[in-house]
Amino acid sequence: GQNIDQPTEMTATEGAIVQINCTYQTSGFNGLFWYQQHAGEAPTFLSYNVLDGLEEKGRFSSFLSRSKGYSYLLLKELQMKDSASYLCAVSPGGYNKLIFGAGTRLAVHP
Amino acid sequence: GAVVSQHPSRVICKSGTSVKIECRSLDFQATTMFWYRQFPKQSLMLMATSNEGSKATYEQGVEKDKFLINHASLTLSTLTVTSAHPEDSSFYICSASGPGLAGGNEQFFGPGTRLTVL
């Protein structure tokens, strides 16, 4: 079966750093995505990893270890607008479909 | 970047009626489109995958006769919820895949359609 796990909720302080973990077990692997979703809105693309290692993009970084079935999203210099749900999604291959985790609701407070 | 639109953004209908939701890729050709539904505080659940000019592939547990999907062109897919009932009330989101980042695997999401069935 397909299984993607991530924490349900996290809180952090403005200006701090937060790491959101994701573990996965899927029938195949063709890449891992992180999306940000504000309440009532569609997800927006943050990052994509298909090889092991760290991908950095501004305040956001994403790491992947395929052997461990593990990824994390690192958010630096947190801002209030970063309060949102963060969705980990895996492409198991075939028609580019994505399997989404339940999402992590991040609350950033002053 | 690639833009996907959805129409309508919000719809309220009576139980037993049918509702059609349109998903359009505005500036790229979408060889594959996906339809998701999302209940409050839950993640996206893939309903079906559609490729232009062929029948949609439905996920297990999704009734293909209730959720009709048509992908008539490389820029348009429609989802019709037939004989809608209150339990069909949800946030429906489409996405499109085509030339872009992530080796072509990236999906670009529409803004979603909030369906409320009375």
Side-chain angles (χ1 to χ4, degrees):
Chain A
Q2 322 276 35
N3 196 45
I4 299 176
D5 289 318
Q6 50 182 132
T8 305
E9 292 182 345
M10 297 182 72
T11 59
T13 305
E14 193 176 15
I17 299 173
V18 70
Q19 177 175 312
I20 303 174
N21 296 323
C22 172
T23 58
Y24 64 89
Q25 289 178 308
T26 54
S27 55
F29 183 81
N30 196 28
L32 186 144
F33 296 77
W34 283 95
Y35 285 87
Q36 180 192 61
Q37 186 180 27
H38 286 97
E41 299 179 10
T44 55
F45 171 79
L46 289 178
S47 68
Y48 169 71
N49 296 70
V50 66
L51 299 176
D52 290 350
L54 187 69
E55 295 282 341
E56 296 185 81
K57 189 186 295 184
R59 295 191 298 115
F60 295 76
S61 303
S62 57
F63 171 84
L64 174 67
S65 168
R66 288 172 297 171
S67 62
K68 295 181 179 178
Y70 167 70
S71 172
Y72 68 72
L73 178 70
L74 193 71
L75 295 79
K76 304 175 186 177
E77 301 170 15
L78 281 173
Q79 304 174 9
M80 298 298 289
K81 67 178 182 180
D82 296 329
S83 294
S85 286
Y86 291 86
L87 309 177
C88 173
V90 173
S91 173
Y95 290 115
N96 299 330
K97 65 187 285 185
L98 291 178
I99 307 297
F100 280 85
T104 298
R105 286 193 300 278
L106 173 67
V108 180
H109 55 82
Chain B
V3 180
V4 176
S5 70
Q6 260 182 263
H7 178 79
S9 58
R10 193 177 290 266
V11 58
I12 301 172
C13 69
K14 292 182 179 179
S15 185
T17 60
S18 294
V19 175
K20 179 186 282 189
I21 303 170
E22 293 187 348
C23 177
R24 294 181 185 273
S25 56
L26 300 184
D27 52 3
F28 69 101
Q29 292 188 326
T31 51
T32 307
M33 285 185 168
F34 304 84
W35 287 95
Y36 298 84
R37 63 188 297 181
Q38 185 177 34
F39 292 106
K41 296 188 177 181
Q42 295 187 24
S43 191
L44 281 72
M45 296 297 295
L46 179 65
M47 299 175 66
T49 303
S50 73
N51 292 288
E52 184 266 337
S54 62
K55 289 184 178 180
T57 301
Y58 289 81
E59 295 298 302
Q60 193 172 8
V62 178
E63 299 176 57
K64 58 183 66 177
D65 293 331
K66 179 168 183 64
F67 299 99
L68 302 178
I69 292 172
N70 184 283
H71 193 165
S73 75
L74 285 171
T75 60
L76 173 65
S77 176
T78 61
L79 168 68
T80 301
V81 183
T82 62
S83 186
H85 291 284
E87 58 265 30
D88 298 324
S89 298
S90 186
F91 191 50
Y92 291 87
I93 306 176
C94 75
S95 70
S97 178
L101 300 173
N105 286 342
E106 182 181 355
Q107 293 182 22
F108 301 93
F109 285 85
T113 297
R114 173 81 53 196
L115 171 63
T116 302
V117 185
L118 302 177

